């Protein structure tokens, strides 16, 4: 069984003093897939990645990465992984080319690998500048390049696009997709639902150090639904809009007289924006704007925790 | 080549490259002793009891040793930077020999120091300091300086790895300039109040300074001092053995130990 999973963890626990950062994290990432670890700040994403990349020893639980036990065979794990992200970084005093040549040397890869990666990550022009002069996007690309020297079997990316502009973000996304298509297993953490949705085959929602929910992006969206919202011309039109939204979504809409909006959550995956607009129009609601969007991560967690509490109550 | 030697040479190369790109710390730590030498030699020296020329010959070995002792500061800055800027974490995720990262740093530092001592020696020569002993003893003095530097660098690496932040390491590292002041590097300890004198004589810097002065033939070994100062060469070797024997394994373990 283990050989079909690139990452398999059971009951991972990690404490920092009073902070219980991981509380029995279970992960099973099939070989060749992309797993998105999605969670808000402080959920334990970085701790999970640090444990899985041998930087931290778990207090309890066990994990195998690329078929090797984390605690007993860390060296074998290191031979098979690449790490880029919030911490494992490059040397800012060295140029991009020097950094990649250093890591190529340490990994016994040919020097030409550095040139290849500079080319691939569009860093040729900046190759001879110290890395601390790079923009955020260039720096992340260099980080990513440094983690790909030996074409690792499992690539760990900790919030690879946090703080990047949309253009740089797209460049990283393209690279991750390419790697995944070429068969690399990727475990990435993110705070962005959109990122997990775009890249991951499976999403694990992580909350307070444990998996709160897992499934494909489609399953996740089916569980968390989407927000249908209508903005009307006059607040007097709100009740009419509410009737339509209620009928379409099956939930009672929330009205905001100030902003003249009616909004309702729906789990109905067949509801489309054209239909929403058509039905509101047919009911004679003077519509200024309408949207059907996935909930934000905050809203997702609010709902999941609300559900948990409801079950507990 | 063994994995350790190969990885160490790669890390060694990295530190030399860093020095080329960011020489500021190295230049500063090599110029400070020259400034001290000029200040003590020409400004403070004449105010002390010793005749000027003799004092300057006495002072040069002291500053060579004080420079070697700066290994604590440089070792600490460098290790703290690497450990708090994520570079070490990347090294830790690579299938490298664990000892190679601190060892590469310490060996690159040794080469830098060997070169960095030259300007200080030249200024010393210009001020009238001379090697008055045999060539063999002079080689021994240089060897001892480098060995002491190697030892203090390991103290620094250990402290840098244990530091909470770069700033904390910077403050503690900056404070180490006090250490030569509490030794016989700049002034003879004979006239110090007795408590301070005991501290100074048990400061490793004093033993090494006395040994270097003796080997260069600049000043005789003082009578009635603590054992390491009274037997300066053996005392210095013992101090270096203790510092390296304690700090090297602890630093390697600290680097390799996952949190
Ligand atoms: N080295 C550490 N010492 C103390 N607490 C830590 C340390 N690393 C992480 N934590 C704490 O553990 C929790 C999880 O942190 P982290 O894994 O960084 O979350 P995320 O990456 O999801 O934002 C947080 O409460 C954080 O403050
Ligand atoms: Mg994080």
């Amino acid at each position: 069984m283990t050989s079909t999973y690139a990452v398999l963890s059971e009951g991972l626990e990690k404490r920092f003093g009073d902070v219980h950062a991981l509380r029995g994290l279970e992960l099973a990432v099939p070989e060749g897939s992309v797993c998105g670890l999605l969670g808000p700040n402080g959920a334990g994403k970085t701790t999970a990645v640090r444990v899985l990349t041998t930087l931290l020893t778990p207090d309890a639980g066990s994990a195998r990465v690329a078929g090797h036990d984390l605690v007993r065979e860390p060296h074998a794990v290191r031979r098979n992984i690449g790490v880029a992200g919030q911490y494992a970084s490059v040397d800012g005093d060295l140029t991009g080319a020097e950094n990649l040549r250093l890591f190529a040397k340490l990994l016994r890869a040919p020097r030409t690998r550095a040139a290849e990666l500079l080319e691939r990550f569009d860093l040729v022009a900046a190759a001879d500048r110290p890395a601390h002069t790079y923009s955020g996007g260039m720096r992340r690309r260099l980080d990513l390049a440094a983690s790909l020297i030996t074409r690792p079997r499992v690539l760990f990316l900790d919030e690879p696009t946090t703080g990047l502009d949309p253009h740089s973000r797209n460049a990283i996304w393209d690279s991750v997709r390419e790697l995944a298509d070429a068969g690399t297993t990727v475990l990435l953490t993110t705070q962005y639902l959109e990122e997990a949705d775009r890249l991951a085959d499976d999403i694990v929602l992580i909350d307070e150090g444990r998996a709160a929910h897992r499934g494909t992006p489609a399953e996740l969206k089916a569980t968390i639904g989407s927000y249908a919202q209508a903005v009307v011309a006059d607040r007097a039109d709100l009740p009419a809009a509410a009737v339509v939204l209620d009928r379409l979504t099956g939930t009672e809409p929330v009205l905001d007289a100030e902003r003249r909006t009616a909004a309702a959550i729906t789990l109905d995956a067949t509801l489309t924006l054209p239909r929403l607009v058509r039905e509101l129009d047919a009911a004679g609601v003077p519509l200024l704007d309408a949207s059907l969007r996935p909930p934000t991560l905050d809203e997702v967690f609010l709902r999941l925790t609300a559900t948990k509490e409801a079950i507990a109550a | 080549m063994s994995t350790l030697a190969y990885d160490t040479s790669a890390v060694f190369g990295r530190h030399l490259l860093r020095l080329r790109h960011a020489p500021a710390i190295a230049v500063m730590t090599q110029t400070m002793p020259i400034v001290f030498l000029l200040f003590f030699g020409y400004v403070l020296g004449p105010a002390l009891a010793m005749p000027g020329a003799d004092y300057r010959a006495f002072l040069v070995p002291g500053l060579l040793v004080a420079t070697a002792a700066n290994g604590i500061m440089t070792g600490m800055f460098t290790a703290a930077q690497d450990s708090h800027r994520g570079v070490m974490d990347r090294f830790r995720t690579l299938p490298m020999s664990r000892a190679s990262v601190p060892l590469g740093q310490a060996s690159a530092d040794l080469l830098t120091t060997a070169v960095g001592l030259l300007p200080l020696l030249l200024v010393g020569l210009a001020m009238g300091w001379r090697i008055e002993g045999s060539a063999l003893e002079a080689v021994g003095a240089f060897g001892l300086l480098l060995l002491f530097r190697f030892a203090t660098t390991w103290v620094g690496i250990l402290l840098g790895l244990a530091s909470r932040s770069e700033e904390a390491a910077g403050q503690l590292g900056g404070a180490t300039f006090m250490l030569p002041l509490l030794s016989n590097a700049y002034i003879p300890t004979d006239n110090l109040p007795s408590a301070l004198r005991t501290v100074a004589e048990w400061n490793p810097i004093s033993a090494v300074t006395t040994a270097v002065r003796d080997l260069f033939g600049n000043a005789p070994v003082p009578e009635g001092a603590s054992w390491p100062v009274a037997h300066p060469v053996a005392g210095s070797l013992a101090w270096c053995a203790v510092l390296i024997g304690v700090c090297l394994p602890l630093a390697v373990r600290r680097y390799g130990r996952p949190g």
Side-chain angles (χ1 to χ4, degrees):
Chain A
M1 267 307 271
T2 50
S3 64
T4 59
Y5 289 106
V7 179
L8 190 64
S9 80
E10 275 168 28
L12 283 186
E13 301 264 345
K14 185 72 194 176
R15 282 177 185 277
F16 301 104
D18 292 342
V19 182
H20 206 158
L22 294 182
R23 306 167 186 247
L25 183 65
E26 316 266 329
L27 290 174
V29 183
E31 194 96 49
S33 72
V34 179
C35 173
L37 214 52
L38 177 65
N41 230 330
K45 303 183 295 297
T46 297
T47 306
V49 174
R50 289 180 67 90
V51 167
L52 293 171
T53 56
T54 76
L55 289 171
L56 291 175
T57 347
D59 296 333
S62 65
R64 299 181 77 81
V65 174
H68 299 283
D69 186 87
L70 260 191
V71 178
R72 280 183 285 117
E73 312 162 82
H75 205 72
V77 169
R78 292 181 194 121
R79 247 186 248 293
N80 288 286
I81 60 172
V83 190
Q86 279 189 321
Y87 50 91
S89 190
V90 296
D91 187 336
D93 288 334
L94 264 54
T95 68
E98 286 166 347
N99 266 295
L100 295 185
R101 283 200 294 263
L102 169 67
F103 296 122
K105 182 167 188 203
L106 286 169
L107 289 161
R108 317 296 191 264
R111 269 169 84 91
T112 50
R113 183 72 180 140
E116 240 171 79
L117 287 165
L118 287 168
E119 183 87 40
R120 170 163 169 200
F121 287 96
D122 200 13
L123 290 167
V124 176
D128 296 321
R129 266 170 39 201
H132 69 78
T133 66
Y134 284 19
S135 69
M138 290 161 72
R139 177 84 184 224
R140 297 293 176 90
R141 296 207 301 277
L142 181 60
D143 260 355
L144 189 54
S147 63
L148 294 176
I149 303 268
T150 50
R151 301 181 177 85
R153 272 172 69 190
V154 190
L155 179 64
F156 292 88
L157 301 174
D158 192 22
E159 300 201 20
T161 65
T162 299
L164 291 189
D165 60 86
H167 176 77
S168 305
R169 174 179 299 189
N170 281 326
I172 299 275
W173 283 357
D174 288 347
S175 304
V176 174
R177 267 277 55 108
E178 258 175 55
L179 286 163
D181 290 346
T184 308
T185 307
V186 181
L187 190 151
L188 69 91
T189 77
T190 179
Q191 299 194 39
Y192 308 124
L193 194 57
E194 188 195 358
E195 183 162 87
D197 184 23
R198 287 279 292 268
L199 296 176
D201 300 311
D202 294 293
I203 296 177
V204 176
L205 281 182
I206 169 169
D207 185 31
E208 294 177 351
R210 60 170 81 85
H213 189 322
R214 60 185 90 221
T216 63
E219 286 165 356
L220 182 67
K221 279 190 280 191
T223 322
I224 60 184
S226 33
Y227 272 91
Q229 186 180 321
V231 185
V232 295
D234 193 286
R235 63 176 62 174
D237 301 320
L238 279 178
V243 170
V244 177
L245 279 175
D246 196 346
R247 177 162 49 81
L248 289 177
T249 65
T251 52
E252 193 183 334
V254 178
L255 307 182
D256 183 338
E258 194 72 34
R259 290 156 60 203
R260 284 169 287 126
T261 61
I265 203 155
T266 176
L267 292 176
D268 178 2
T270 64
L271 180 62
T272 60
L273 184 61
R275 186 161 151 240
L276 177 66
V277 175
R278 252 191 337 261
E279 299 265 349
L280 285 162
D281 192 45
V285 177
L287 201 58
L288 287 185
D289 194 12
S291 60
L292 191 64
R293 62 162 176 84
T296 64
L297 189 56
D298 286 343
E299 289 162 344
V300 170
F301 276 93
L302 213 61
R303 284 206 44 213
L304 287 174
T305 36
T307 316
K308 262 195 310 203
E309 274 157 23
I311 292 168
Chain B
M1 218 191 311
S2 77
T3 309
L4 174 64
Y6 185 90
D7 290 344
T8 302
S9 78
V11 176
F12 176 89
R14 164 189 175 240
H15 282 282
L16 295 189
L17 274 176
R18 292 189 75 201
L19 196 67
R20 213 176 71 199
H21 289 297
I25 288 192
V27 169
M28 196 196 73
T29 53
Q30 305 302 344
T31 21
M32 277 311 283
I34 295 180
V35 173
F36 269 50
L37 182 57
L38 295 171
F39 180 72
F40 279 94
Y42 290 103
V43 183
L44 275 190
L48 296 168
M50 289 176 92
D54 284 356
Y55 179 60
R56 287 192 285 276
F58 173 89
L59 194 56
V60 171
L63 276 152
L64 289 169
V65 177
T67 308
N70 272 343
I72 299 188
M73 183 176 69
T74 307
M76 190 159 31
F77 281 163
T78 310
Q81 263 186 11
D82 283 354
S83 107
H84 296 292
R85 292 186 189 176
V87 187
M88 268 189 192
D89 275 341
R90 182 175 293 283
F91 285 143
R92 288 186 179 109
T93 65
L94 300 181
M96 295 169 67
S97 147
R98 301 272 94 181
S100 63
V101 170
L103 200 57
Q105 178 188 332
S107 41
D109 177 84
L110 210 52
L111 178 66
T112 327
T113 304
V115 177
L117 284 177
L118 289 177
L120 183 59
L121 286 168
L122 292 178
V123 174
L125 285 170
M127 285 170 63
W129 166 79
R130 293 290 177 270
I131 295 176
E132 290 161 72
S134 72
L136 198 65
E137 285 173 314
V139 170
F142 286 118
L144 193 55
L145 282 169
L146 293 180
L147 178 67
F148 188 53
R149 172 71 178 205
F150 191 67
T152 58
T153 298
W154 280 102
V155 179
I157 293 176
L158 178 60
L159 293 174
L161 287 173
S163 65
R164 296 195 140 270
S165 67
E166 267 185 61
E167 293 70 35
Q171 283 161 8
L172 188 58
T176 60
F177 90 96
M178 296 281 292
L179 296 176
L181 293 175
L182 296 172
S183 79
N184 63 11
Y186 306 142
I187 45 161
T189 49
D190 313 348
N191 303 324
L192 290 179
S194 75
L196 206 56
R197 182 175 167 174
T198 309
V199 171
E201 286 187 351
W202 286 96
N203 183 341
I205 294 174
S206 295
V208 181
T209 306
T210 309
V212 171
R213 277 183 190 133
D214 186 36
L215 291 168
F216 280 144
N218 297 138
V221 176
E223 309 250 318
S226 68
W227 187 85
V229 173
H231 307 83
V233 174
S236 301
L237 293 175
W239 275 126
C240 291
V242 169
L243 294 179
I244 295 172
V246 171
C247 297
L248 187 152
L250 286 179
V252 169
R253 215 179 71 175
R254 175 100 204 177
Y255 167 79
R257 184 197 68 192

